């Protein structure tokens, strides 16, 4: 999960192609913005700020088009069935680069998934939360949004998962929790040294990576 691959883009690549290559090869290293996750909830409607740089967004309702992200550079979504990435951009050159790199194109978003959004200016994204009330996890890695406040231990127990990862925007570090004793013995070395943080809670509209055996 914590792969750190080298950027293989050539010097002759366009900025749009580099944007695609950078995400493909360094998807875990690109979350380096200092954005805070100031989410507001009012009458079952969540408003999520999309700040300049990389944003992590949980999808709480089905979205039939990508119009809400017209001001964004690029959007990435993880397909839990194929265990692969799909991308979208309002910029035609960037969209072509996604296709040229053999990746699927996003046309809609499904309730319960999570996405990466790279924004070029401040905007916001609003969605309803009253219809999202269950998870449907597949074997392998799932990139999902959280629809209710809970504890990581409770979540993994209910969903038959073994490990959960979440990015902390404020500290710029990964938070992690596992119910696997062998994994925990390895992870504890990194949490004790401060490289990783212990994940102690999950809140509505949080996004996370969950591994299900």
């Amino acid at each position: 999960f914590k792969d750190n691959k080298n950027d293989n883009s050539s010097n002759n690549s366009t900025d749009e192609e580099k944007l695609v290559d950078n995400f493909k090869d360094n998807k875990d290293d690109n979350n380096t913005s200092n954005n805070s996750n100031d989410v507001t909830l009012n009458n079952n409607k969540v408003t999520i700020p999309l700040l300049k740089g990389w944003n992590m967004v949980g999808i709480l309702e089905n979205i039939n088009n990508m119009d809400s992200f017209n001001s964004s550079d690029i959007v990435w979504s993880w397909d839990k069935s194929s265990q692969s990435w799909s991308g979208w951009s309002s910029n035609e050159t960037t969209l072509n680069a996604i296709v040229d790199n053999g990746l699927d194109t996003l046309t809609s978003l499904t309730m319960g998934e999570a996405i990466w959004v790279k924004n070029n200016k401040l905007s916001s994204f609003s969605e309803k939360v009253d219809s999202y009330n269950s998870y449907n996890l597949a074997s392998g890695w799932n990139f999902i949004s959280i629809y209710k406040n809970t504890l990581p231990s409770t979540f993994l127990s209910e969903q038959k998962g073994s490990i959960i990862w979440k990015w902390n925007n404020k500290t710029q570090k990964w938070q992690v929790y596992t119910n696997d004793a062998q994994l925990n013995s390895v992870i504890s070395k990194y949490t004790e040294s401060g490289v990783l943080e212990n994940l102690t809670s999950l809140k509505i509209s949080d996004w996370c990576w969950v591994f299900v055996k």
Side-chain angles (χ1 to χ4, degrees), residues 126-144:
S126 297
E127 52 187 343
K128 296 179 180 179
V129 299
D130 53 352
S131 60
Y132 178 35
N133 55 18
S134 65
Y135 302 106
N136 182 24
L137 305 187
S139 296
W141 285 108
N142 296 261
F143 191 30
I144 65 167

Side-chain angles (χ1 to χ4, degrees), residues 36-50 56-61 63 68-69 111 113 123-132 145-149 203-207:
S36 61
N37 191 22
D38 299 325
V39 176
T40 59
L41 175 61
N42 184 24
N43 295 326
N44 288 330
K45 187 175 183 180
V46 172
T47 299
I48 303 169
L50 298 178
M56 290 69 73
V57 179
I59 302 303
L60 304 177
E61 65 176 340
I63 299 175
S68 298
F69 305 99
M111 177 174 62
E113 68 178 311
S123 63
S124 64
F125 173 69
S126 297
E127 52 187 343
K128 296 179 180 179
V129 299
D130 53 352
S131 60
Y132 178 35
S145 57
I146 301 298
Y147 71 84
K148 65 178 180 179
N149 296 340
K203 299 178 181 179
I204 188 170
S205 81
D206 276 350
W207 65 271

Side-chain angles (χ1 to χ4, degrees), residues 12 26 64 90 173 187 191 204:
N12 295 324
N26 300 286
N64 296 324
S90 58
K173 292 182 179 180
I187 290 171
T191 55
I204 188 170

